[in-house]
Amino acid sequence: MNLYTAPGIDHNEPSVERIDVKPVNSPKQPRQPLYASRKKIHPKRAEGRFRRFKWIIMAITLGIYYLLPWVRWDRGPHAPDQAILLDLGGRRFYFFFIEIWPQEFFYVAGLLVMAGFGLFLVTTAVGRAWCGYTCPQTVWVDLFLVVERAIEGDRNARIKLDAAPMSFSKFGKRVAKHAIWLLIGVATGGAWIFYFADAPTLAASFLRGDALPVAYATVATLTATTYVLGGLMREQVCTYMCPWPRIQAAMLDENSLVVTYNDWRGEPRSRHAKKAVAEGRPVGDCVDCNACVAVCPMGIDIREGQQLECITCALCIDACDGVMDKIGKPRGLIAYATLSEYASNMALATDGGKTEIRPQAVRDANGSFVPEVRHFDWRIILRPRVVFYALIWAAVGIAMVVHLGMRQRLELNVLHDRNPQFVMESDGSIRNGYTVRILNMVPRPRTIRLTLEGLPGATMKIPELAGADGRSFDIPADPDSAKSLKVFVTWKDTDQPVNEFLFIADDLQEQEHVTYTAAFNGPGETK
């Protein structure tokens, strides 16, 4: 039995078309300049499980981006009903049932920390999955390619169209393609501004032409950047502009999953396996069809090893799996694999590096892989480094959730008058002035009781409220707002230059209680 082919396969193998395509950055080519003119890439449409997964991710991410501004969330009559709203004018950030005030911006910092450790976690575990599936550049390039294929056809048709002289048909296709790209850009910019104002109101104002100039400038800017980055520059953004390909090396280790060409079973390549076997030459599984290069949106050849340009979108896996199915060989010639797994199998195929790759070393007499061949084990993902990142990510998230659940929605700030520090009145009493600021951080009106505690015999006077001096006042607080009051505290019995006391704010209905320690100044020198 032939040791180099799978069992039960007819030697009259079905022919596999060899695609005429060259990688844009092959290590076998002479040293590339630091900058070179773009070589236009015409990626072929891929079919398979990873391509379907990318379609799902694209639909979800684009749906979230374009539709979320239109989702409503009832917060009552005194707050906006847009589910996600960054209200710059009102200095509020609304996220469904959560409302963030400017002084709570540390929540945004926490989200950024979570995003950073989440990126470290994903990269350490499964390589550049962010780049390959959810990065906005990847998602929008995929969307632009859908439009391009629908109008100009798949890879061969687009290459032929590029090479053809200008004609009415070619001009019409180009105009239609770029017009739709621009419309996508306009929709992208429009969706962005809807996160900063009530979407239906702003949309109507925008179409009437009476929106603020900044709205039109923002849409124009994002239209241009979306069109240029997603339609014209494409892979160059990842290669030249994005820093992550250069950072990722620090995140990966020998147990990180990356898209890998398993040359320990693919080499030596041959377009004529039957003839090579008849001549007694070893033959690997790779038929050198270039399908993996043709579908790559970055235009690289994964068979040349790991490269900066690879975004691990796994489309080359789909392309190769389709070829393996066609010729009756097991899938996984190109697959997600770890460096340790690859090195172990390569050592097996080369006798520890002493020989060239020997296909017979990894297969038994029946053509199946020998037991020594390592295959992916999902448990390798659960290693200390990944667990460490996951624990930090979870700890930050849990801390934020707990703090959100425990935070006070009533705040009290007090500022003592600087000049004068105190006033001596005609009856010998001493008066101090304060600016008291009550923050009602819920979207409904409340009545807050402001009470003076300490300074026995002292009284408060609030000029904005009618009535006599007292030690307690009920203050109406407007919904989702801050109320500033001038408060005068008068006290006779003091022989100390500084006396501490408390301002207490209570919402008697919701049992919220906050205090502020203030100082009452009198004549004399502080010790």
Side-chain angles (χ1 to χ4, degrees):
M1 177 174 286
N2 176 20
L3 296 178
Y4 312 130
T5 58
I9 298 175
D10 186 353
H11 289 305
N12 295 315
E13 298 171 295
S15 61
V16 176
E17 176 190 3
R18 190 173 196 272
I19 303 173
D20 184 17
V21 58
K22 294 181 180 179
V24 296
N25 186 26
S26 173
K28 295 180 179 179
Q29 296 175 356
R31 182 178 178 86
Q32 299 291 315
L34 293 178
Y35 179 82
S37 298
R38 179 177 185 245
K39 299 175 184 177
K40 190 171 182 180
I41 298 171
H42 302 85
K44 189 176 186 295
R45 181 186 173 94
E47 299 287 347
R49 64 188 190 279
F50 290 107
R51 178 64 270 183
R52 289 191 294 272
F53 182 62
K54 281 174 65 67
W55 287 135
I56 294 171
I57 294 297
M58 186 178 81
I60 292 174
T61 51
L62 290 176
I64 290 173
Y65 177 76
Y66 287 119
L67 299 179
L68 266 186
W70 302 92
V71 176
R72 303 292 100 183
W73 187 268
D74 185 16
R75 300 184 182 90
H78 303 288
D81 65 349
Q82 187 162 308
I84 298 180
L85 177 64
L86 184 58
D87 184 4
L88 296 180
R91 295 184 294 177
R92 304 285 187 276
F93 173 49
Y94 298 95
F95 185 82
F96 293 94
F97 62 90
I98 299 173
E99 179 183 350
I100 303 298
W101 282 53
Q103 65 268 29
E104 297 175 315
F105 195 78
F106 55 84
Y107 287 118
V108 178
L111 289 175
L112 293 176
V113 171
M114 290 186 67
F117 277 99
L119 194 56
F120 297 160
L121 170 63
V122 170
T123 304
T124 301
V126 292
R128 290 174 64 185
W130 161 260
C131 300
Y133 298 97
T134 55
C135 173
Q137 177 67 15
T138 298
V139 172
W140 262 265
V141 167
D142 265 357
L143 179 60
F144 276 48
L145 280 172
V146 169
V147 174
E148 186 172 86
R149 290 194 185 103
I151 296 174
E152 297 182 353
D154 205 357
R155 181 176 185 275
N156 291 340
R158 300 202 304 276
I159 293 175
K160 184 178 179 180
L161 184 67
D162 282 353
M166 184 58 68
S167 63
F168 181 79
S169 174
K170 180 176 180 177
F171 179 77
K173 289 180 178 179
R174 290 291 162 85
V175 169
K177 178 181 74 173
H178 288 277
I180 295 176
W181 282 359
L182 285 171
L183 287 176
I184 293 173
V186 172
T188 302
W192 178 258
I193 64 174
F194 293 152
Y195 284 95
F196 296 86
D198 182 67
T201 304
L202 179 56
S205 177
F206 190 90
L207 293 175
R208 288 196 307 267
D210 56 9
L212 293 174
V214 67
Y216 296 100
T218 301
V219 171
T221 300
L222 291 179
T223 298
T225 54
T226 304
Y227 172 77
V228 171
L229 300 182
L232 304 181
M233 294 186 66
R234 294 185 180 175
E235 77 286 343
Q236 287 190 310
V237 174
C238 305
T239 302
Y240 294 108
M241 296 175 64
C242 180
W244 189 239
R246 293 153 181 85
I247 299 173
Q248 66 163 340
M251 299 290 103
L252 299 176
D253 58 31
E254 66 276 9
N255 293 312
S256 298
L257 276 178
V258 292
V259 175
T260 305
Y261 168 61
N262 293 310
D263 49 0
W264 53 267
R265 61 165 279 198
E267 301 295 326
R269 308 173 198 173
S270 177
R271 291 286 301 158
H272 307 286
K274 182 179 178 181
K275 180 179 178 182
V277 170
E279 294 174 354
R281 290 186 284 116
V283 177
D285 289 347
C286 181
V287 296
D288 202 21
C289 62
N290 287 336
C292 54
V293 183
V295 299
C296 180
M298 301 299 295
I300 64 171
D301 188 346
I302 192 62
R303 296 172 297 179
E304 303 293 351
Q306 282 297 307
Q307 298 161 62
L308 175 146
E309 293 86 356
C310 179
I311 60 173
T312 67
C313 63
L315 296 183
C316 54
I317 298 179
D318 282 341
C320 188
D321 283 350
V323 173
M324 293 297 104
D325 291 344
K326 186 174 182 181
I327 64 176
K329 293 188 177 181
R331 292 183 171 193
L333 178 58
I334 301 175
Y336 274 105
T338 66
L339 178 60
S340 60
E341 171 193 321
Y342 170 83
S344 175
N345 292 336
M346 179 59 80
L348 179 64
T350 62
D351 192 19
K354 299 175 182 178
T355 66
E356 298 291 331
I357 295 175
R358 300 168 302 148
Q360 69 271 26
V362 296
R363 295 186 187 274
D364 59 22
N366 295 319
S368 301
F369 291 121
V370 298
E372 293 79 8
V373 171
R374 285 183 57 186
H375 300 284
F376 171 68
D377 183 355
W378 65 268
R379 288 174 296 184
I380 201 171
I381 294 179
L382 300 177
R383 56 192 189 277
R385 187 176 179 183
V386 175
V387 173
F388 172 74
Y389 285 140
L391 288 176
I392 293 180
W393 184 86
V396 175
I398 292 172
M400 290 175 58
V401 170
V402 171
H403 193 275
L404 275 171
M406 298 177 61
R407 64 178 179 164
Q408 289 276 0
R409 307 316 292 148
L410 176 65
E411 287 192 9
L412 179 65
N413 295 312
V414 179
L415 181 65
H416 195 289
D417 287 353
R418 290 190 174 185
N419 189 21
Q421 290 284 313
F422 61 90
V423 173
M424 296 289 295
E425 296 190 335
S426 58
D427 61 355
S429 60
I430 301 172
R431 188 185 71 191
N432 280 207
Y434 305 86
T435 299
V436 176
R437 193 165 183 257
I438 299 173
L439 279 72
N440 176 21
M441 302 170 70
V442 296
R444 56 185 176 275
R446 296 199 281 184
T447 299
I448 305 301
R449 178 164 295 173
L450 182 65
T451 304
L452 177 67
E453 184 175 288
L455 306 181
T459 59
M460 285 192 299
K461 181 176 181 61
I462 302 178
E464 295 182 34
L465 302 179
D469 295 1
R471 292 181 63 86
S472 180
F473 291 89
D474 289 342
I475 301 169
D478 293 333
D480 206 21
S481 63
K483 188 178 187 69
S484 293
L485 299 167
K486 193 66 180 180
V487 177
F488 295 103
V489 177
T490 304
W491 193 31
K492 292 184 177 179
D493 304 323
T494 178
D495 55 0
Q496 299 293 329
V498 178
N499 302 268
E500 289 190 349
F501 68 100
L502 295 178
F503 281 110
I504 300 175
D506 290 292
D507 181 351
L508 302 181
Q509 290 184 337
E510 299 189 13
Q511 304 299 316
E512 281 196 88
H513 173 90
V514 291
T515 64
Y516 190 97
T517 301
F520 185 90
N521 296 333
E525 295 183 2
T526 58
K527 298 181 181 178

